[in-house]
Amino acid sequence: MENVVNMDFLEEIVSYFKRSPSSIIAMLQEIQEKYRYLPKEIFPFLSKSTGLSEARIYSLATFYENFSLEPKGKNIIKVCDGTACHVRKSLPILERLKAKLKLEPGAVTTKDLAFTVEVVACLGACGLSPVITLNGKAYPAMTPDKATELLESLIEVKGE
Amino acid sequence: MKGYMTIDNIPVEIHDERNILELIRKIGIELPTFCYYSELSIHGACRMCLVENEKGGLEAACSEPPRVGHKVWTNTARLRKYRKNILELLLSNHNRDCTVCNKSGECRLQDLALKFGIKNIRYLNTAYTPEPDESSASVSIDRSKCILCGDCIRVCNEIQNVGAIDFAFRGSQMKVATAFGVPMASSPCVGCGQCAAVCPTGAISVKNSLEAVWSDLLDKNTDVTVQIAPAVRVAIGKRMGFEEGQNALGLIVAALKRMGFVKVFDTTLGADMTVEEESKEFLKFVEKTHSLPLFTSCCPAWINYAEKRYPELMGNISTCKSPMQMFGALVKQYYKNNGKRHVHVAVMPCTAKKYEAVRPEFTCDGVPIVDHVLSTQELIRMIEQSGYQFNKLEPEAVDNPFGIVTGAGVIFGVSGGVTEAVLRTLTEDSSNATLLQTAMAGERGMEGLKELQVEYKGKTLSIAVVSGLGNVGRLLEDILSGKKVFDFVEVMACPGGCVCGAGQPYVPLSVKEIRGKGLYAIDKLMSYKRSSDNPLIEDIFSGILKGREHELLHVSYDSQEESTE
């Protein structure tokens, strides 16, 4: 975990986008790519660079589900709960993942910052439903048991 | 564009109207809106201004440009149904404790619900009551009354360039918030209160000090004095049954005396003192070489803005206290050894003054210089509470020993007034011709930025008069980049100056101009036009203030920075 935001990196991002306020979302995406969330410390800098108020940037960061103001886990699991996945029982998968990872109600990231479990509306892979992704890789036709296996394989790899 | 469109079967000529709504209002139809202000960008969120067109389609009148030959109806069965439905939906999650709301009686939602006869809200009551944000000294924020029209956000961003608040989250979670939801006092908010002025409900309201004032006023062991700011006298009339812009000072004085204020004073004398001190400072300033101008210091929201945004400019802001504080310091000195507890109240058009009054810089011998600040609207409330029929009172004069004021002090209440007052003192000639010339130099009017050149002892002085913090921000960028050079800059945070302050009853910009003209009319009737001609000034400076002018009339804002370091 990087605790301090790298100012050179921020400067590079904002100059790449010519400090244009209309590119703020792209800037936020780049920053989130690097830190896996939007650290609070970037707001004053972005505000000064683009001329947008911090409140406006906060508005964007809270509007889009994809942006996170909390540090995300190293592994990101997205559980699709679009219509197709939902009717083919995506929620039991989600419940199992949460139980296995001991996520408290409302929390999406494990305390050791190893896993983040998110619910997404549709991954656009309804033919594979119910589908989840782990770090961008899709796992089709999931069941709660398969999800447990997937988690266990990851934890084993980590444990070795 | 020329031509006609038809509204409710009436042909209406199109001029330069930005949208159908303006045209509809022009022909005398008061179409209801929550989110439309002519000064702000168009949001189109509330949908109350929907009109029906020939094809049965619905259009938001605020966001449709007028088109030749277009036909719309403003009051059809369908529209009535929808408007009522919108109101019901807004009320379904609205805090309905109307009777104890700050805005009760002035709330547009309450007003429209009454007008549209909303008796029964068919939807589940999902109102929630989060703890109000009372951290700011100027405004209270109660999210349970927010209808998400976004007026506050747009005025804060577009007119004031402060950007303290914006929408956060989305859907049913959406709310108006500061960045990271910090309390208002820790946000970039400068306390100008323009958000409260445009808020159609009680979600943002001006802080209220009425109970504190009444409690001191009715205490037998306390002498309570009061000062009235110039802009107040021309803004109270309309609500009290007079013409907008009419001078109601005499009646205000009469009402306040009846309530039990031992002395009623006019802040205008404080303005005269400010002119004297500021002119002296300016003359010293122009002698020195300077790359940056001298900025005025009367406006507390501007001081907050500079502190938060441009701390590097703090050294160029006049060290003069605001007229309220100068006058307050004078009164506190006068009552110092009176043997009785003394409380000084100021009636101001301003919400930021409420913060100024509690700043640690403005204490004298350990007590606040001004104990309570009342807004013009609170003054109206106070008169209503006391039950006096305002227009049946007999006008009275302000009290001695501070009863003589000048026209220069009075015009402090309108953008350009401070500049004109200083120019009058600098010209050292009080003939009518010179005064007229000074008035024509270009400082008058409601424009956001006025630039003028004045000849003074063979020098050409460049002066800027700017109001509205959005205009201020743009001007400061030009000044800091060296694009524009000035010797003196008068800054007022509210567009148009104090007459348009957020403590005043809300009126559109065109009406605010009438208030400004009201102040110039008072100036015309004044025997003394220049602050330096005020016979009291000499008395005060050689008497009560002698040797303590600097301590009592000037301020340094560094103390706060040091304490935070």
Side-chain angles (χ1 to χ4, degrees):
Chain A
M1 267 300 293
E2 284 179 77
N3 284 322
V4 185
V5 176
N6 184 339
M7 293 315 269
D8 294 338
F9 168 70
L10 286 188
E11 183 53 47
E12 197 184 310
I13 299 279
V14 295
S15 24
Y16 178 80
F17 290 106
K18 301 190 172 67
R19 297 171 192 273
S20 158
S22 54
S23 301
I24 184 71
I25 291 177
M27 294 178 200
L28 292 175
Q29 282 173 324
E30 293 289 332
I31 293 163
Q32 174 145 317
E33 185 77 33
K34 184 173 168 82
Y35 296 103
R36 288 187 282 138
Y37 78 112
L38 300 173
K40 207 173 173 178
E41 295 74 28
I42 65 166
F43 282 73
F45 179 83
L46 286 181
S47 170
K48 254 204 154 70
S49 306
T50 59
L52 292 166
S53 69
E54 284 185 52
R56 176 60 51 88
I57 303 171
Y58 181 73
S59 171
L60 289 167
T62 54
F63 182 88
Y64 293 103
E65 195 72 39
N66 194 38
F67 289 128
S68 172
L69 294 164
E70 302 290 327
K72 281 197 189 181
K74 210 167 162 217
N75 298 294
I76 295 178
I77 301 174
K78 292 181 179 173
V79 180
C80 181
D81 194 33
T83 314
C85 291
H86 184 85
V87 297
R88 300 193 67 170
K89 301 201 163 41
S90 55
L91 285 181
I93 304 170
L94 177 70
E95 291 311 319
R96 178 69 67 85
L97 286 171
K98 282 187 168 174
K100 276 278 157 198
L101 294 169
K102 299 193 178 71
L103 281 173
E104 279 163 25
V108 293
T109 302
T110 54
K111 280 183 184 144
D112 61 356
L113 293 181
F115 288 94
T116 292
V117 182
E118 292 173 339
V119 180
V120 291
C122 183
L123 286 167
C126 306
L128 308 177
S129 64
V131 64
I132 72 170
T133 64
L134 170 65
N135 298 329
K137 190 179 172 217
Y139 291 84
M142 290 305 281
T143 61
D145 289 343
K146 278 182 164 177
T148 310
E149 271 172 45
L150 183 65
L151 272 186
E152 275 164 3
S153 73
L154 261 177
I155 294 165
E156 266 166 38
V157 171
K158 205 180 115 195
E160 272 168 17
Chain B
M1 193 168 68
K2 283 275 169 187
Y4 288 85
M5 68 171 281
T6 313
I7 297 166
D8 292 342
N9 303 320
I10 306 164
V12 184
E13 195 177 359
I14 302 168
H15 289 279
D16 303 318
E17 290 80 9
R18 290 192 304 167
N19 47 54
I20 298 178
L21 180 63
E22 282 185 13
L23 213 55
I24 291 172
R25 290 198 167 159
K26 215 167 110 179
I27 62 166
I29 300 171
E30 201 39 59
L31 212 55
T33 52
F34 286 114
C35 68
Y36 182 78
Y37 283 93
S38 56
E39 297 104 295
L40 301 179
S41 68
I42 288 160
H43 193 45
C46 76
R47 315 314 280 177
M48 286 298 282
C49 69
L50 284 181
V51 291
E52 196 167 344
N53 64 24
E54 247 179 322
K55 292 173 182 160
L58 298 177
E59 299 168 359
C62 67
S63 27
E64 264 323 296
R67 297 191 296 278
V68 176
H70 195 48
K71 287 181 181 160
V72 298
W73 286 266
T74 64
N75 193 21
T76 65
R78 225 174 129 206
L79 291 172
R80 273 185 59 79
K81 183 179 151 198
Y82 287 161
R83 283 192 191 123
K84 286 178 87 158
N85 206 346
I86 291 167
L87 288 169
E88 277 185 70
L89 284 166
L90 285 175
L91 287 166
S92 73
N93 71 346
H94 194 87
N95 177 344
R96 286 178 230 153
D97 292 340
C98 280
T99 46
V100 291
C101 176
N102 285 344
K103 279 261 180 82
S104 185
E106 289 153 39
C107 167
R108 217 169 317 150
L109 183 58
Q110 192 185 41
D111 179 48
L112 289 176
L114 180 72
K115 283 182 181 160
F116 280 83
I118 309 293
K119 297 278 178 217
N120 176 31
I121 295 152
R122 293 166 293 165
Y123 306 103
L124 183 72
N125 186 344
T126 51
Y128 75 121
T129 44
E131 207 44 39
D133 180 351
E134 301 284 3
S135 63
S136 158
S138 305
V139 291
S140 301
I141 298 181
D142 184 351
R143 289 197 174 77
S144 69
K145 293 164 186 166
C146 179
I147 59 167
L148 299 174
C149 63
D151 294 338
C152 51
I153 294 172
R154 281 174 293 134
V155 80
C156 191
N157 274 290
E158 295 169 11
I159 307 290
Q160 297 299 67
N161 187 38
V162 171
I165 44 175
D166 212 312
F167 287 122
F169 305 97
R170 66 172 170 184
S172 61
Q173 305 295 312
M174 194 187 203
K175 60 178 182 178
V176 174
T178 55
F180 296 94
V182 297
M184 276 308 265
S186 330
S187 78
C189 173
V190 299
C192 72
Q194 290 295 327
C195 51
V198 296
C199 179
T201 69
I204 307 184
S205 56
V206 178
K207 275 270 168 77
N208 190 310
S209 314
L210 280 180
E211 283 314 308
V213 172
W214 277 120
S215 130
D216 281 334
L217 195 58
L218 300 175
D219 176 27
K220 285 197 181 74
N221 301 315
T222 307
D223 277 344
V224 187
T225 56
V226 60
Q227 55 167 307
I228 307 158
V232 173
R233 66 203 62 179
V234 289
I236 189 171
K238 191 71 187 284
R239 280 276 295 279
M240 300 310 244
F242 299 88
E243 290 296 308
E244 188 73 42
Q246 199 176 324
N247 180 12
L249 181 66
L251 291 170
I252 299 173
V253 173
L256 291 172
K257 281 191 179 172
R258 269 214 203 175
M259 282 175 208
F261 287 95
V262 292
K263 294 264 180 179
V264 181
F265 299 120
D266 188 348
T267 311
T268 307
L269 181 63
D272 283 332
M273 290 157 70
T274 308
V275 175
E276 284 310 286
E277 289 299 289
E278 200 150 350
S279 304
K280 277 188 231 159
E281 190 181 0
F282 181 53
L283 286 181
K284 272 191 211 151
F285 181 81
V286 287
E287 291 305 316
K288 292 182 287 183
T289 49
H290 53 269
S291 56
L292 292 168
L294 181 72
F295 294 95
T296 59
S297 59
C298 332
C299 174
W302 150 239
I303 299 289
N304 295 345
Y305 184 77
E307 274 183 321
K308 290 187 174 181
R309 278 284 177 99
Y310 297 96
E312 69 271 26
L313 291 179
M314 289 306 287
N316 273 67
I317 293 178
S318 160
T319 60
C320 290
K321 283 182 183 171
S322 67
M324 175 180 97
Q325 293 293 350
M326 281 201 183
F327 192 75
L330 181 67
V331 174
K332 276 276 154 94
Q333 283 307 305
Y334 185 74
Y335 275 88
K336 207 166 138 191
N337 301 316
N338 197 34
K340 224 173 163 186
R341 181 171 171 256
H342 170 233
V343 163
H344 187 57
V345 178
V347 183
M348 293 285 140
C350 180
T351 58
K353 286 281 177 209
K354 287 180 182 269
Y355 172 69
E356 187 187 80
V358 297
R359 284 186 76 123
E361 289 89 348
F362 295 111
T363 49
C364 189
D365 307 324
V367 292
I369 291 172
V370 174
D371 297 273
H372 308 294
V373 173
L374 292 175
S375 68
T376 311
Q377 298 198 47
E378 286 170 270
L379 172 66
I380 294 174
R381 259 295 133 76
M382 227 176 151
I383 296 169
E384 287 169 352
Q385 286 179 5
S386 49
Y388 307 142
Q389 286 182 307
F390 194 64
N391 50 11
K392 289 199 179 149
L393 293 168
E394 280 182 35
E396 288 184 45
V398 291
D399 282 307
N400 276 330
F402 306 126
I404 304 172
V405 299
T406 75
V410 168
I411 57 173
F412 254 57
V414 59
S415 166
V418 179
T419 302
E420 190 169 338
V422 169
L423 289 179
R424 285 184 192 176
T425 286
L426 292 188
T427 46
E428 290 171 3
D429 166 16
S430 55
S431 71
N432 267 338
T434 316
L435 284 173
L436 264 179
Q437 212 182 344
T438 312
M440 304 291 269
E443 71 278 19
R444 292 193 180 188
M446 298 300 269
E447 297 86 7
L449 174 63
K450 293 163 276 187
E451 296 177 35
L452 49 145
Q453 310 270 326
V454 180
E455 294 297 324
Y456 176 72
K457 291 189 179 163
K459 269 190 193 162
T460 306
L461 301 176
S462 289
I463 297 173
V465 176
V466 62
S467 69
L469 287 173
N471 298 321
V472 174
R474 283 185 283 277
L475 180 71
L476 291 181
E477 291 305 323
D478 283 350
I479 289 174
L480 288 171
S481 67
K483 223 166 110 189
K484 284 186 175 170
V485 180
F486 294 104
D487 299 295
F488 184 80
V489 178
E490 175 199 310
V491 187
M492 296 290 163
C494 293
C498 308
V499 285
C500 311
Q504 308 264 58
Y506 182 80
V507 288
L509 197 64
S510 53
V511 182
K512 287 170 183 165
E513 193 170 2
I514 300 174
R515 294 179 183 165
K517 286 186 177 148
L519 288 184
Y520 287 121
I522 298 170
D523 169 38
K524 277 266 179 203
L525 284 172
M526 287 282 182
S527 317
Y528 297 111
K529 297 273 192 286
R530 301 186 327 145
S531 300
S532 41
D533 293 343
N534 187 336
L536 281 181
I537 291 285
E538 173 68 34
D539 283 3
I540 290 167
F541 278 79
S542 60
I544 197 164
L545 293 179
K546 196 167 168 55
R548 297 184 71 189
E549 297 99 324
H550 198 80
E551 171 202 346
L552 294 173
L553 304 183
H554 291 263
V555 60
S556 157
Y557 288 102
D558 300 338
S559 56
Q560 213 175 35
E561 278 165 40
E562 279 165 17
S563 65
T564 53
E565 267 165 18

